[in-house]
Structure formats: C-alpha cells, structure tokens
Amino acid sequence: MEPTERRVVVTGPPRRTRRTSGYYRPRTEIDEQTTLGHTYVRSLMRSQLRSALGGFAVLVLLVGPLPLVFASAPAARRLEWLVLGFCLYAPLTLLARWYVRRAERNERDFVHLVEDR
C-alpha cells in the first residue's frame, strides 16, 4: 500500500508585504538606480555644481585682478601683505561660509524632496 501525500495548509497573514498600489518612494528609485532616481541625483549634483561655480566666479573676480594691481605698484611691498593678509581674509571667509551654507541647503532640500512624498 502506497502512503498518501499529506498537504499542509498555512493559514495566517503573510509576514512580508509590499505596498505597491499608490505608494511612491523616491528613495527606492534612487537605490534601484532607475532613470527617475538618476534624475533626482543629477538634479542635486547640478545644484551643487551651480553653487560651486558661483563661488568660484566670485573668488576669481576677487583674487584674479590682484597680480595686476600688485604689478602696477612694484615698490609697495607692504601694501601687498596688507591686502593679502587683512583685506582678503574677511571676504574669503564670508565666501566659504556662504558656500557651505548653500551646499547644506541644497542637500537639505534634496532630502526633503526624497523623504516627504
């Protein structure tokens, strides 16, 4: 006599469920490297690049003409040190603070966009 095969019926809620209908997560799009996730990351990188180029442009306009100014007055060595040591320190510090705050704001906006949908 052949033994019959036993069937086991599991009754209970599934342990792992995925929310698929109406649930949108940009973080998942980024993690799975979809086209939309790539677009999100590219927009963050673009805003960071825009901030960096703006800061660099101000730096070039601030520091770039100094060699020409120093070349026009060759006998004023003390003037060079005063300008480089004292007059340039505060604007460069302010520029650095602006850039860091702008970069942090860009990242905070990106996180807000990704997390709060």
Side-chain angles (χ1 to χ4, degrees):
M1 194 171 185
E2 218 170 285
T4 60
E5 211 174 293
R6 283 182 75 185
R7 291 186 178 207
V8 177
V9 177
V10 178
T11 58
R15 292 184 180 189
R16 295 182 187 177
T17 60
R18 290 184 105 181
R19 295 186 223 174
T20 56
S21 62
Y23 191 65
Y24 174 75
R25 297 232 11 198
R27 179 184 279 184
T28 306
E29 298 287 337
I30 294 169
D31 290 341
E32 292 178 0
Q33 297 180 355
T34 62
T35 304
L36 182 60
H38 181 68
T39 303
Y40 279 125
V41 173
R42 195 167 15 129
S43 73
L44 172 66
M45 298 303 288
R46 196 177 310 133
S47 63
Q48 295 289 50
L49 179 65
R50 196 175 313 124
S51 299
L53 290 177
F56 183 70
V58 171
L59 180 68
V60 165
L61 292 174
L62 188 64
V63 179
L66 287 179
L68 296 174
V69 172
F70 295 152
S72 66
R77 289 279 182 219
R78 284 190 154 189
L79 175 67
E80 293 174 7
W81 285 106
L82 286 174
V83 169
L84 290 175
F86 295 107
C87 299
L88 210 58
Y89 183 76
L92 289 179
T93 303
L94 291 174
L95 180 64
R97 285 187 67 192
W98 172 83
Y99 175 73
V100 168
R101 286 184 178 197
R102 180 74 184 238
E104 288 174 349
R105 190 183 81 196
N106 288 341
E107 291 175 4
R108 192 171 41 249
D109 291 346
F110 179 74
V111 168
H112 181 70
L113 173 74
V114 170
E115 296 290 323
D116 287 347
R117 272 214 173 187

